[in-house]
Amino acid sequence: MNASSVNGKSPLRALEQFGQSPWLDFVRRGYTRDGSMAALIEQDGVKGVTSNPAIFQKAMGEGTDYDAQIHDILGKEIVSAGELYERLAVEDIREVAKLLKPVFDQTKGIDGYVSLEVSPYLALDTAATVEEAGRLWETVSEPNLMIKIPATKEGIPAIHQKIADGVNINVTLLFSLDMYKAVVEAWISGLEARHKEGKSVAGIASVASFFVSRVDGKVDGEIDRRVKAGDKDAEALKAIRGKVAIANAKMAYLHWQEIMKSERWTKLKAAGAQPQRLLWASTGTKDKAYSDVLYVDDLIGPETVNTIPPATLDAFRDHGKPRDSLEENIADAKHVMAEVKRLGLDLDGMTTKLVSEGVASFEEAFDGLLGSVAKKQNELLGNKLTETKLSLPKDFDDAVKAGLETWRKDGTIRRLWAKDASVWTNGPEAKWLNWLGIVADRLEHLPELEAFQKEVKARGFKQVLLLGMGGSSLGPEVLAMTFGKHEGYGHLYVLDSTDPQQVRTFEGKIDPKETLFIVSSKSGSTLEPNIMLSYFLDVAKKALGEKAGEHFVAVTDPGSALEKKAKEDGFWKVFHGDKQIGGRYSVLSNFGMVPAAASGVPLKLFLEDALHGVKACDGSVPAAVNPGVLLGTVFGIGAEKFGRDKITIIATKQVMDFGAWAEQLIAESTGKLGKGLIPIDDETLAGPTHYGKDRLFVYFRLSNEHSHEQDEAVKTLIDAGQPVVTISLHDRRQIAQEFFRWEIATAVAGAFLGINPFDQPDVEASKIETKKLTAAYNETGSLPAESPFATDGDLEFFADKKNTAALKGDTAQAILKAHFDRVKVGDYVGLLAYIERDRNSIEWIQHTRLAIRDAKTVATAAEFGPRFLHSTGQAYKGGPDSGVFLQITVDDAQDLPVPGARYSFGVVKAAQARGDFDVLAERGRRALRVHIKGDLKKGLATLASAIKAAI
């Protein structure tokens, strides 16, 4: 027994005789399970427990108490950090609730409560607070639970609503008398509303958590400032130092006593209601000049609660002095409050600020908590997740950390997931964000996709030919190139060109009798897939007759022209896209999943890997540990602050086609309004001297693939000070995680750039110009005449007036030299070849681009038309004016008709090339077109020689 015991009881036990209930402001699983919590309840008379984000942060972020449950959850489910935290917290709260249930029963529901807080992120959102409070109440499902709702302006109506709903409420972050009065009104009016509806008001518990020590901290700080400044009222100010918080609390208690005498309460009490008690919170002493039990000793009174942190509880047990202190010296308390007003201490302003600071503090603690949970989760998942390593120069790294901190403070990733358009330009962005939920949606519809997959296998197709462009083709191409052919399924081919030679080549790869054709077009009105459909439907009809449609599947948005045609032509199936997902964000929708199913990709495993990516990038995961935000911040900061806007993708062999998909995503999303990121894909790695200061390298590697030489080359770049992001996949299927991660990253980068990452205005411009030219052909039977400004053998040169004026010379070498002499530091060169994309042409364009890179020390893009028009073409026209373009067109060795149309594939390709060039010229780009007459192989060799001589 210590010296401060009363009637043989410890000071904590003695509080009971003064009508006060001591609660513990602390939760930790080990403390609950090792008997410590039970001992406090049994020996010290602790009658309740409160928690908050800061408490859970310390509990979950340290030690191994939660590892077993985390292992168990992660072994069965794929969850976000936020979902995982909630599962852990709910388990803790339920265990404490069971320990406190005897107290709850003995006190007939007056005490024995444990509190769980709604997310602090919702403190300023009434509707979301109401929803979450109800959800947590139902999830925990314990009668002695209290849901904590903050006393913000937005929290008040939520308190009213949940009391009316019969939920036990702990109102938190109360600092001022006026706000306390508003809380009391919300509580009592909530009970009245419930009573009016004929519902029972019995057993609905509530406490109003009035924060104490923080008030003294704020007021004392202002007093000290004024005294130090020589204030004329210095002595009067010093006289009330350390007294305002308790006086403020006593004024609240006086108001409570008045309410208890009111007619309104008398009626409710008669109906069985129990009072809302004042709970003294923040009772740990912050100022060492004061007693460490000040805010317990001086606030003891009937029908109150004091929730006490562990250190203060130990101190009070040791030397606390229980007495009926709350109702003593009321006149002195009133005098202190009068002095506060007379001395011009803005208590209202201070308490308003304390609420804002409290919300921010809980948000920061919750960020820390979720960050700790995410890190723990990542450690335990190990190789089930891709890994990211940043190797950035210090100034770049510091700027990225600052950018991540801004996103954390502003809660921007949560706003992104909430589809808040103000993350970008406050335009129509919210209409294009359904990709955020598409993985969960496809998992819900997995039986439909798996049934289709079984049917495809049963029908024994030996080839699958996808006809599409851009977002409809690039994702499926990655799947085909990454996973190859699956046993029992046809080889997946992807045709995304109007080049007649390319079309003919793909026709030669298939037997229409054994081919499943997938026609993929979001709008259903895109020129290229429509003419490819016309051609291959005609091919199929010649082989299969009227049953040709049974070999065709369409993937398109509901109600499109393609869906109508599919029904008319008897297509086997039509799969719908989502009108609120843009093409380049559609790879995890049916635009990717239907070809994945048809080619035998294990759908459940693939989508579960994608779900890992979704959950890792969830809005609950703080910026610094959110892989999507991390990558997007590196992209955005790199471009905006350091001019590193050439995103150079290096990949190991088995995952190298990922860059072709990422290229479209990045370029089409960010390249507009003179801003943007320029993706550089498949540019063979070289030594540090070949690169300028405009590069940001992304090393995309499969960790179990032999890549020692690449690893060493990348290390050399890092050692030379080049910024490198290394992303390691442990399995090819993890490409699904990266699809989603890069979509988030691109959206994040768009926010840093201040653009709408979901539109593509300059792609439309090219389509319009192409349509004009094909319309002219349909009217006249020929494209509008054009004349080269120079000819050298089999090479003809074309340009607009402005570019022609800059390209003086009589020979190919001279013209090309003049063109490439316009390349400056920080520029890039784009080779835009409207030719068949085969092994020979790929080899030619790669050798040529590397020669230019090495001679000019600039980034190079090697693209094939018209494929790139639906990809990087947007950035070339709408992005920064740093591109120097050489467009290459040819005489087609053979042309192919488009069934039902006057124009041919060759005419369409020519119209696309000319439309593309016209828009480049209209945008003031440095562009030159060279047309190869006659033999392609010979012409390319001649052109390569001229380029090398010119540079």
Side-chain angles (χ1 to χ4, degrees), residues 199-220:
K199 296 177 181 176
S200 172
V201 293
I204 302 169
S206 182
V207 292
S209 297
F210 205 87
F211 281 54
V212 190
S213 67
R214 293 192 200 181
V215 173
D216 269 348
K218 188 67 72 177
V219 174
D220 289 356

Side-chain angles (χ1 to χ4, degrees), residues 305-475:
V305 178
N306 196 319
T307 187
I308 311 170
T312 305
L313 187 122
D314 288 341
F316 188 77
R317 184 194 298 111
D318 179 68
H319 51 267
K321 296 181 174 60
R323 69 187 195 280
D324 193 358
S325 56
L326 188 55
E327 296 180 271
E328 68 184 19
N329 301 322
I330 296 298
D332 290 345
K334 288 180 178 179
H335 171 72
V336 168
M337 298 308 289
E339 283 290 271
V340 166
K341 188 172 183 179
R342 182 184 73 81
L343 294 167
L345 291 166
D346 182 13
L347 188 58
D348 288 341
M350 292 182 202
T351 53
T352 298
K353 190 171 184 182
L354 280 168
V355 174
S356 298
E357 289 175 350
V359 169
S361 173
F362 278 176
E363 282 187 354
E364 188 166 346
F366 206 43
D367 284 340
L369 162 61
L370 292 174
S372 297
V373 171
K375 286 177 182 175
K376 176 80 75 172
Q377 180 180 19
N378 293 346
E379 288 170 9
L380 295 178
L381 284 172
N383 287 352
K384 288 185 179 180
L385 299 177
T386 62
E387 294 178 45
T388 303
K389 179 184 177 184
L390 302 186
S391 303
L392 308 175
K394 187 178 184 308
D395 56 347
F396 194 165
D397 190 57
D398 289 345
V400 166
K401 286 174 180 172
L404 291 169
E405 178 60 10
T406 298
W407 265 61
R408 184 200 66 77
K409 282 184 178 177
D410 295 345
T412 315
I413 187 58
R414 297 192 298 278
R415 288 167 45 216
L416 186 156
W417 276 88
K419 300 184 178 181
D420 180 352
S422 69
V423 170
W424 299 282
T425 69
N426 237 345
E429 290 93 344
K431 295 193 302 184
W432 295 102
L433 288 166
N434 278 8
W435 54 272
L436 290 168
I438 196 60
V439 174
D441 176 82
R442 289 300 83 202
L443 280 165
E444 285 179 16
H445 290 84
L446 186 59
E448 175 191 351
L449 288 166
E450 288 183 330
F452 169 63
Q453 189 170 58
K454 282 183 180 179
E455 290 179 88
V456 170
K457 187 175 185 180
R459 289 184 63 178
F461 293 111
K462 293 188 177 170
Q463 298 96 28
V464 179
L465 178 58
L466 184 138
L467 312 173
M469 297 297 291
S472 301
S473 64
L474 292 167

Side-chain angles (χ1 to χ4, degrees), residues 544-813:
L544 296 161
E546 292 307 309
K547 293 185 177 181
E550 296 175 10
H551 280 237
F552 281 77
V553 167
V555 186
T556 188
D557 281 355
S560 74
L562 176 56
E563 181 174 24
K564 183 180 178 184
K565 180 168 178 55
K567 290 176 180 177
E568 291 172 353
D569 288 319
F571 278 25
W572 178 28
K573 291 181 184 292
V574 175
F575 290 91
H576 285 147
D578 186 318
K579 287 188 174 182
Q580 294 190 323
I581 299 177
R584 58 187 175 275
Y585 291 86
S586 68
V587 65
L588 297 170
S589 75
N590 277 341
F591 286 98
M593 291 303 96
V594 170
S599 60
V601 172
L603 297 176
K604 186 171 186 290
L605 293 173
F606 184 83
L607 283 169
E608 284 177 346
D609 245 310
L611 190 61
H612 273 300
V614 173
K615 297 300 185 180
C617 296
D618 184 69
S620 68
V621 183
V625 289
N626 187 309
V629 179
L630 181 66
L631 185 61
T633 301
V634 173
F635 286 168
I637 292 290
E640 283 290 276
K641 293 189 177 297
F642 299 96
R644 292 189 177 272
D645 60 352
K646 313 302 187 306
I647 309 299
T648 304
I649 301 169
I650 310 156
T652 55
K653 189 175 181 180
Q654 293 184 46
V655 290
M656 67 179 298
D657 204 63
F658 181 84
W661 172 84
E663 211 179 30
Q664 183 206 13
L665 178 71
I666 294 168
E668 207 165 82
S669 297
T670 69
K672 58 201 71 169
L673 303 176
K675 301 178 179 182
L677 307 173
I678 306 300
I680 305 298
D681 179 41
D682 202 23
E683 187 186 65
T684 306
L685 203 54
T689 58
H690 292 84
Y691 303 110
K693 295 182 178 180
D694 57 342
R695 301 274 195 153
L696 171 60
F697 293 90
V698 179
Y699 184 24
F700 198 76
R701 63 189 296 274
L702 188 62
S703 59
N704 59 11
E705 185 177 354
H706 178 72
S707 54
H708 178 72
E709 288 184 11
Q710 263 185 321
D711 290 346
E712 287 301 309
V714 170
K715 184 178 182 299
T716 302
L717 289 178
I718 294 169
D719 291 343
Q722 288 285 0
V724 178
V725 178
T726 301
I727 298 172
S728 296
L729 289 70
H730 305 289
D731 184 281
R732 284 179 296 173
R733 197 169 56 239
Q734 289 182 339
I735 210 158
Q737 293 180 34
E738 290 301 312
F739 279 141
F740 190 83
R741 187 259 194 97
W742 283 64
E743 288 172 349
I744 288 283
T746 302
V748 170
F752 277 100
L753 294 170
I755 50 91
N756 174 358
F758 310 113
D759 65 1
Q760 50 284 333
D762 299 285
V763 170
E764 302 305 321
S766 282
K767 288 181 181 179
I768 291 168
E769 293 304 314
T770 298
K771 193 172 182 179
K772 288 179 185 176
L773 290 164
T774 53
Y777 186 93
N778 276 339
E779 290 176 13
T780 65
S782 63
L783 293 173
E786 58 175 353
S787 299
F789 71 82
T791 301
D792 186 355
D794 292 336
L795 304 181
E796 294 180 338
F797 294 92
F798 297 84
D800 62 294
K801 287 182 180 179
K802 182 180 177 182
N803 275 301
T804 299
L807 300 173
K808 302 298 183 184
D810 299 323
T811 65
Q813 180 180 334

